[in-house]
Amino acid sequence: MKTRNARTAAAAVAGLMVLGLAACSGDSGGGGEGGTLTLWHNSTTGPGKQYWEDAAAAFHEENPDVTIDVTSIQNEDMDGKLQTAVNSGDMPDIFMARGGGKLADIVSAGAVKDLSDLIDDDVKSAFGDAPFSAFTIDDKIYGMPSAVLPGGIFYSQDLFEQAGITSEPSTIGELEDAVDKLKAAGIQPIALGAKDAWPAAHWYYFFAVRACSEDIIANLSTNADFTDGCWLEAAESLADFVAVEPFNEGFLTTSAQEGANSSAGLVANHKAAMELMGAWDVGVIAGLTPDEQPLPDLGWFPFPEVDGGDGAPGAMMGGVDGYSCSNDSPTACEDFLNFIASKEWQENYAVAFQTIPASQEATGAVTDPSLIPLMEAYSTAPYVALWLDTALGQNVGNALNVGVVELLAGQGDPESLVAEISNAAERG
């Protein structure tokens, strides 16, 4: 079994097992070297896109010799464009990073700047260790956190009421009962953007968190070993759930976040009742409602418990979004990252993206009711595992995601899914 080099993304997974949201504050740094810096982010519309334009303009106002050239890239295209940039040696100065094995792959190519001694001390102190762990590789920090993004099931309270569902499902059996009631009421139960693969794979990730022990999940980044029986158990649980036909019509060709007919759009327009997704979903759904405002009846509950697994009750799956500097970027890059780590800009981030900021000081800006129980679950979870495709890196992670889609499409079974992941891990 191939393993990653010396801890690589292990700190990312281990750090996400640490509880609590980290605090954040800090002052903006000086502009450092002048000139124009390129910034790649993944918000293509609405307040999220505006946030980055505003942040760049505010930084330029304080540092007139520095201009930030902002480019928005569709989320599903980001990994591929970054890989192309790494291969060509033409990296953006500032780019979105999700940490884990994906970031470790780029670091190993020598394309990312070590920020360990470049992040302001007050920012490090205010954030704490936990959010930085996702970007820590071989004890060096390669990214600035922007948001913590645990996952779970978002749902329409109105559609639940129409179907006669009076409580949030806490077990898979209760979730299957809810699916039956929604179908009986003529409502599509669960929206799934399987066209993009990773949303479909989320279902396997969460079944794995329920089936596998903390140690097995935590060791994935350094030892991608899928021989433990829990991986097959998780795949079998997923296959059993798929057999109740819980997903929207045409889910295999449904995208995740693009337009009213995406999985997020189906929830936003009350065409489906639920979606399993990370905390960013609140903002995505808000941008796809008819009035482009937060969905008033949006609720959230944790992924249901599954009988017989080794995962701790209440364990979650999630990640930390952040931004990194290319290895040859000017000093203004880290200055900009320190600038957006301030309480003010973390609060702006929380409002623009309708999500949970990395800064505990900024969590007062979180007002959407669906995020309150999510933050509470996150703060009391025994551990929060990193998204599996992020932990495993692009090659193995993509093979995992595609394998799950094949299972959902009836082109594979639990055994072939685990075999496919194992083979990808062997190849590295």
Side-chain angles (χ1 to χ4, degrees):
M1 188 65 60
K2 291 190 177 180
T3 60
R4 290 192 176 277
N5 185 29
R7 291 188 298 282
T8 55
V13 179
L16 282 175
M17 306 300 181
V18 178
L19 299 181
L21 295 173
C24 170
S25 64
D27 300 320
S28 63
E33 302 170 23
T36 298
L37 279 71
T38 53
L39 164 64
W40 287 7
H41 69 87
N42 72 335
S43 187
T44 57
T45 61
K49 182 179 181 182
Q50 188 63 47
Y51 168 86
W52 288 111
E53 294 172 358
D54 291 346
F59 185 77
H60 174 70
E61 184 175 353
E62 292 192 13
N63 306 276
D65 58 335
V66 180
T67 299
I68 308 291
D69 183 8
V70 181
T71 299
S72 60
I73 295 173
Q74 180 61 39
N75 180 69
E76 283 68 33
D77 296 335
M78 181 65 77
D79 288 346
K81 286 186 177 295
L82 276 175
Q83 188 59 56
T84 298
V86 170
N87 294 341
S88 68
D90 187 18
M91 288 285 291
D93 295 297
I94 311 164
F95 60 94
M96 181 185 180
R98 296 184 176 94
K102 287 186 176 181
L103 181 60
D105 290 341
I106 304 177
V107 169
S108 67
V112 189
K113 182 183 289 187
D114 176 5
L115 300 176
S116 303
D117 298 324
L118 303 176
I119 297 171
D120 290 347
D121 288 341
D122 56 349
V123 172
K124 285 184 179 179
S125 176
F127 270 74
D129 293 335
F132 284 110
S133 66
F135 306 99
T136 299
I137 300 166
D138 289 338
D139 300 322
K140 297 178 181 179
I141 299 173
Y142 289 93
M144 179 73 79
S146 57
V148 292
L149 301 165
I153 297 180
F154 292 92
Y155 74 100
S156 164
Q157 297 175 49
D158 289 351
L159 294 184
F160 266 39
E161 183 177 354
Q162 288 180 32
I165 302 169
T166 58
S167 61
E168 295 169 345
S170 61
T171 67
I172 286 296
E174 291 176 0
L175 182 60
E176 292 176 351
D177 289 343
V179 166
D180 290 340
K181 289 181 179 180
L182 288 161
K183 285 182 178 180
I187 300 166
Q188 297 189 105
I190 300 173
L192 179 61
K195 177 182 178 181
D196 295 322
W198 58 267
H202 280 183
W203 284 92
Y204 181 64
Y205 302 170
F206 275 90
F207 276 116
V209 166
R210 294 289 177 260
C212 299
S213 69
E214 177 181 354
D215 287 345
I216 288 175
I217 297 290
N219 288 331
L220 274 183
S221 294
T222 54
N223 184 21
D225 185 351
F226 296 93
T227 58
D228 191 280
C230 71
W231 297 108
L232 180 58
E233 179 183 340
E236 290 171 343
S237 294
L238 174 58
D240 290 343
F241 184 67
V242 171
V244 307
E245 299 183 351
F247 303 125
N248 60 284
E249 183 178 352
F251 69 89
L252 290 170
T253 57
T254 299
S255 65
Q257 302 176 138
E258 297 179 65
N261 291 321
S262 66
S263 56
L266 294 177
V267 176
N269 293 280
H270 286 158
K271 293 182 179 179
M274 294 177 273
E275 184 178 30
L276 175 63
M277 195 57 68
W280 63 83
D281 207 30
V282 175
V284 175
I285 289 171
L288 295 172
T289 59
D291 60 0
E292 298 186 358
Q293 297 298 314
L295 189 67
D297 68 314
L298 189 65
W300 179 89
F301 59 89
F303 190 84
E305 298 296 332
V306 180
D307 290 338
D310 292 332
M316 301 180 76
M317 178 72 67
V320 181
D321 272 358
Y323 284 79
S324 298
C325 293
S326 66
N327 198 36
D328 59 355
S329 62
T331 60
C333 183
E334 55 264 29
D335 292 335
F336 179 72
L337 295 186
N338 283 310
F339 176 81
I340 60 172
S342 69
K343 180 175 182 290
E344 175 188 359
W345 283 97
Q346 275 279 280
E347 288 176 338
N348 292 344
Y349 191 97
V351 172
F353 288 91
Q354 291 292 305
T355 195
I356 304 172
S359 163
Q360 183 126 8
E361 288 187 359
T363 56
V366 177
T367 58
D368 192 284
S370 65
L371 288 175
I372 304 304
L374 195 160
M375 288 193 295
E376 292 173 350
Y378 179 82
S379 66
T380 60
Y383 53 89
V384 182
L386 191 64
W387 302 115
L388 295 189
D389 58 346
T390 301
L392 291 165
Q394 187 164 345
N395 292 338
V396 182
N398 285 350
L400 165 59
N401 294 350
V402 171
V404 172
V405 173
E406 291 174 350
L407 187 151
L408 268 58
Q411 298 171 358
D413 56 27
E415 290 79 10
S416 64
L417 171 59
V418 176
E420 186 170 342
I421 305 167
S422 298
N423 291 337
E426 287 284 358
R427 294 191 299 270

